[in-house]
Amino acid sequence: MNLTKKAKSALISVFNKDGLRPIVEKLNNLGIVIYSTGGTEKFIKELGIKVIPVEDLTLYPSILGGRVKTLHPKVFGGILARRENENDLSQLNEFEIPEIDIVIVDLYPFEKTVSSGASDQDIIEKIDIGGISLIRAAAKNFKDVICVSSMNQYDTFLQIMNESSGETTIEQRKNFAAKAFAVSSHYDSAIFNYLNKEKLAFRESFDTVSTLRYGENPHQKGYFFGDLEALFEKLHGKELSYNNLLDVDAAVNLINEFKNDPPTFAILKHNNACGLAQRNSLKQAYVDAFAGDPTSAFGGVLISNKEIDIETSLEVHKLFCEVVIAPSYNNEALEILKGKKNRIILIQKDIKFPTTQYRTALNGVLFQDKNNKTDDASVISTSTLIGPSDRELEDLFFASKICKHTKSNTIVLVKDKQLCASGTGQTSRVDALNQSIIKAKHFNFDLKGAVMASDAFFPFPDCVEIADNAGIKAVIQPGGSIKDQLSIDYCNDHKMSMIFTGTRHFKH
């Protein structure tokens, strides 16, 4: 069997014509017969290159408004025929079907049409039928046919044509076939997810993959599937690691809570905020965030909701940190931050985030709606005889936002829109509270006048009692325990205010 094939003919049917011209010109120079239809045929003709309309091959016009053009035995027979099979070749000869050695397709932009907010009818019309069928047929017969299934593959294909004068190896064709089935499965998954309103099954697909240095630990392989460039513009530094990406994900979700607020700066370590503050200036927000836990800030991920200016960058530059993220940077500030060659500097773009999330569990996948509920004045009820002051209420909502993005069980302590400390990932809420108090005192915070947020209800009054003894007089929590009244009674007896939100914020 000859594993190297020299192409004699090509079928081209693409939606996006960008980058197609040099390929068409090269195929023409190699003497390869070109078949095409519709807009692609017109594009090739306008280049002054000979092209045979598919309709001349099939002796059938494009029908149903273009829905049926290439779906014909004379097209698919030429693609699927096995060149080493005498019966296949005999039938090609009998029915006057030409062999097709190259198939170039770029599908209708279904996902872009969905994201544009188009009507349901417009979206349905962007479900490619002929194109996807051509891809699958050509990829199946990779022993004889090379399938270029996306405009993203044009450069690689053109390089092969230039270097080999139209010949392809079995390894090349098999590689393009794998890419073709990746394109077709991704395309079908996108269509399914658009129609899958009742969650009939789980399908997810990403076209872009990055190979990471390693996974969570050096002995584990790691990959990221997704388009980071859609979310970030990387300005400086080494490549993001697996653990960097987890921290960056946590940082982006946290700072999104403060997107339209005054200058806010957060420092994260192992997916939890170890420092966060909101001030009139970004520099002071950073300084006060850093004061929350100067020890844990070392090697952390830093994120801001405002442009990083010179004054802030001078402070940040003093710290060894892995990643800095902001919506923009002053030019001089950027040069200062670039002073550490490995420091990763990212601009976060304003994009729409997914409303669902999933993770592997056991031999399957857990899927849920994203926790997009943020506690505010519209959802609270005051459970105690006295309510929080206006300043305390602002701090309570501030603390609740942090609490929502901290590993459970968690308690968050805040004073004057500054994270004093948090207890993170503890097996009991009492342990989380004690951890946060000890940590706050270690970094010289005066908790008198501070507020406390809990991600879940208090089954006993022990937490409000411990908080009271530490000087905390205002509490925000979901409520919902059958013993809520015990905590309410303690607060009333000790002149504490407590508000219920009705929403638990577990994060595991």
Side-chain angles (χ1 to χ4, degrees), residues 134-192:
L134 291 171
I135 286 173
R136 290 178 63 84
K140 176 178 179 176
N141 202 24
F142 67 85
K143 287 185 178 180
D144 298 302
V145 179
I146 187 165
C147 178
V148 182
S149 54
S150 167
M151 62 181 297
N152 297 328
Q153 301 163 19
Y154 286 178
D155 289 345
T156 305
F157 174 72
L158 182 59
Q159 183 179 354
I160 292 172
M161 292 294 102
N162 285 329
E163 293 175 353
S164 65
S165 299
E167 289 188 345
T168 59
T169 65
I170 184 66
E171 290 80 11
Q172 290 168 339
R173 295 193 299 277
K174 190 172 184 178
N175 178 264
F176 271 81
K179 293 177 180 177
F181 282 114
V183 167
S184 67
S185 64
H186 178 83
Y187 197 77
D188 285 343
S189 292
I191 296 168
F192 169 76

Side-chain angles (χ1 to χ4, degrees), residues 29-62:
N29 291 338
L30 291 171
I32 293 173
V33 176
I34 300 174
Y35 298 92
S36 190
T37 186
T40 309
E41 177 196 342
K42 180 182 177 184
F43 173 83
I44 296 171
K45 281 183 177 178
E46 289 175 350
L47 294 177
I49 293 173
K50 183 179 179 181
V51 56
I52 299 174
V54 167
E55 291 84 351
D56 288 358
L57 173 62
T58 63
L59 302 179
Y60 220 95
S62 172

Side-chain angles (χ1 to χ4, degrees), residues 62-76:
S62 172
I63 62 173
L64 306 182
R67 281 189 165 197
V68 181
K69 291 180 286 190
T70 57
L71 296 169
H72 194 281
K74 282 206 169 183
V75 173
F76 283 85

